[in-house]
């Protein structure tokens, strides 16, 4: 049995929702150059916020360099820059 549901199958009120979005938008000098992917996600985000009190959104920016120390945090790849656009 498939445990994953489509948006149309979500009950009126549900538990936490885990949403994977592709928000890998182009950024230059700390400025989002094209927010199309974010804007296209807004309708889905708003829909889910009506269904749940807990919406967990996951995404990524860029691709870490495998040759660098994997334990080191790279601020250039932080998704915090997306927060204002998503709010």
């Amino acid at each position: 049995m498939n445990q994953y549901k489509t948006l149309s199958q979500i009950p009126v009120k549900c538990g936490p929702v885990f949403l994977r979005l592709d928000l890998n938008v182009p950024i230059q000098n700390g400025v989002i150059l094209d927010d199309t992917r974010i804007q296209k996600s807004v309708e889905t985000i708003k829909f889910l916020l009506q269904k749940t009190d807990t919406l967990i959104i996951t995404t990524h920016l860029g691709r870490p360099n495998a040759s660098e120390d994997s334990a080191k945090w790279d601020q250039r790849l932080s998704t915090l820059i997306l927060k204002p656009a998503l709010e």
Side-chain angles (χ1 to χ4, degrees):
M1 184 170 139
N2 186 355
Q3 65 183 7
Y4 302 108
K5 299 191 181 318
T6 64
L7 289 178
S8 63
Q9 295 171 311
I10 295 177
V12 173
K13 277 293 183 187
C14 63
V17 174
F18 183 86
L19 178 63
R20 168 63 168 98
L21 295 173
D22 183 359
L23 301 178
N24 193 18
V25 297
I27 297 172
Q28 187 174 28
N29 299 323
V31 176
I32 297 173
L33 300 177
D34 181 359
D35 70 347
T36 302
R37 290 181 180 196
I38 297 169
Q39 294 304 317
K40 295 288 186 182
S41 302
V42 169
E43 185 177 341
T44 300
I45 292 168
K46 285 182 178 180
F47 175 82
L48 290 172
L49 286 173
Q50 293 174 351
K51 302 283 187 171
T52 183
D53 293 330
T54 306
L55 179 59
I56 303 159
I57 299 173
T58 185
T59 190
H60 73 94
L61 287 178
R63 183 179 299 267
N65 186 343
S67 65
E68 293 180 15
D69 180 7
S70 62
K72 191 189 321 181
W73 180 65
D74 187 345
Q75 185 173 357
R76 297 170 298 163
L77 302 178
S78 172
T79 57
L80 287 175
I81 193 166
L82 303 176
K83 185 179 177 185
L86 288 169
E87 289 177 332

